[in-house]
Amino acid sequence: MKPSTISLVLFLISSFSPLFAASNNGDTRIKLEENKQPHVKRSDFPPGFLFGAATSAYQIEGAYLEDAKSLSNWDAFCHSTGCSVDGENGDIADDHYHMFLEDIDAMHSLGLDSYRFSISWARILPRGRFGEVNSAGIIFYNKIIDNLILKGIKPFVTLNHNDFPQELEDKYGSWLDPEMQEDFLYLAEVCFKSFGDRVKYWVTINEPNMFVELAYELGIFPPSRCSQPFGNCLHGNSDVEPLIAMHNMLLAHGRATKLYHENFQPKQGGLIGLVVHCFMYEPLTDSELDREAAKRAFAFDVGWPLDPTIFGDYPEEMHKYLGSKLPSFSLQEKKFMKNSIDFIGINHYSALYSKDCTNSSCSAVGNSSIQGFVDKVVERDGVLIGEPTGLDYLFVVPRGMEEIVNLIKIRYNNKPMFITENGYSSPDLQEQRVSMLLNDVKRVEFHESYLASLTKSMRDGANVRGYFVWSLMDGYEWSQGYNVRFGLYYVDRQTLTRVPKLSARWYKKFLTNNSVLINQNASRNERLFGKDVI
Ligand code: FCB
């Protein structure tokens, strides 16, 4: 459908001005974005730009007690209280532990440059640093790495993506105790030694900001600790514990990167970074207070883990509002924390509006210092910020990609960035038939529009080096179980058969043909997938 001339003019103005978009009526904006067919092709990205897909261990591996693996925090959580809305768990997941060769073939057939996966800590070190290295775990990841490299796919490895041996929780309370830094350092050393000759991209920790919020503020992830008004937990303190857990995660990160930079990087020559969940925060209104609230929301969410890894300390705003509640880095710690990353990993899915709570009435949650006195809302004047998705906190807001990358570029002096996750799950999946899940046109549109938005920031000079689709295949979506599906490949829950969705064929076409818009006059399907594959 062609946008009207007025719509087109509005669209053009708003595409060049995030502020205009923020102060405009959300509904108009969504319609305009839907009408725009993004023209994005692989050659819009520089040579050497990595295109990949991502997964994480607990979400796909299964084999939860095989070959001397111990119980992880997620295994223990799922087997005690129940961990997801559908009562499912990751015991079997996608059985990637046994099917990884088939999965690597799928990646190869897509033409991926890189595959981002995580190490199951409990598979490599079942008892943390209190027991032996499990050789079966090392062999498993060696096979994955070797087979990826055989197919020309670069491994992009995350050391910790939400899961760790339960023993570390039982012994000393995991991330709430500095002992966890020692355990993480040991895991990192074992992995650098065992895999670092072939792995050139390392991530220490995935989304510490999202993890501490879910585990220690809202109590949804294990160890389910929180307090009112954030949630109903038996134990915990939502105002304090997320800060402590984050502090230990950051120091663990800093110590592991110091080890890598000093003892491994000179020989192995890889890069190491941290992955952060990055919402784009737009002001709810054009008022000065809401604009300040949006800046604070960024500082309290994205700046919280990133500022220490680049500047050596937490953001000023956090010092101001949290005072002595905020843990502090010693001088020596500041020194090794500063510039402890070679790249920033950005997991970006969605945007939220920010409403000031220092001067107006807010929800009990927004009214708290740990949230920086900001309410994060999804509606403006009764209109949603974007089209809903399968997760109630994620909306389709393509402009957010350009905006967040630009913000991060400016704040961190254009440090190299990777988009380490970006993906889409449809709402109401339980009611959808398999044929609808396979014909995932919305996912294709999502990636096209977010990629187009990314190219805008890159044309403005953003130093982005790669983009990973979340996810290679449908998997265990944490507390949402298996009904929220993000995959390029559909996974049948009964047979575990993998079936490429339209989005997989689109990605392949995008990656191999260097052009998505094959023929402006062709049908939508032909444009997306070419005549040969439809
Ligand atoms: C991210 C997580 C990833 C997956 C996606 C949907 O926050 O890193 O494991 O759950 O969200």
Side-chain angles (χ1 to χ4, degrees), residues 478-532:
W478 308 112
S479 38
Q480 300 302 313
Y482 290 101
N483 282 324
V484 171
R485 292 171 178 267
F486 275 90
L488 295 170
Y489 280 78
Y490 170 81
V491 177
D492 180 297
R493 291 308 318 150
Q494 255 61 54
T495 61
L496 299 181
T497 309
R498 282 82 158 126
V499 185
K501 301 180 189 174
L502 278 185
S503 55
R505 295 201 258 161
W506 162 78
Y507 203 32
K508 179 182 170 118
K509 201 77 190 165
F510 172 80
L511 294 177
T512 51
N513 277 17
N514 209 10
S515 168
V516 174
L517 289 171
I518 295 156
N519 170 358
Q520 301 270 5
N521 299 320
S523 72
R524 171 113 182 108
N525 275 353
E526 279 173 15
R527 279 196 303 102
L528 291 173
F529 311 108
K531 283 200 168 110
D532 48 329

Side-chain angles (χ1 to χ4, degrees), residues 56 59 161-162 206-207 210 277 347 349 391 393-394 421 470 477-478 486:
S56 89
Q59 296 179 274
H161 193 127
N162 296 350
N206 181 71
E207 296 187 348
M210 189 59 122
H277 187 275
N347 286 358
Y349 291 85
L391 289 180
Y393 60 93
L394 301 181
E421 287 180 27
W470 183 272
E477 196 39 58
W478 308 112
F486 275 90

Side-chain angles (χ1 to χ4, degrees), residues 192 202 256-265 268 270 272:
F192 299 151
W202 292 103
T257 49
K258 184 172 186 294
L259 176 76
Y260 186 70
H261 285 143
E262 287 173 0
N263 296 1
F264 294 91
Q265 195 176 47
Q268 298 180 344
I272 191 159

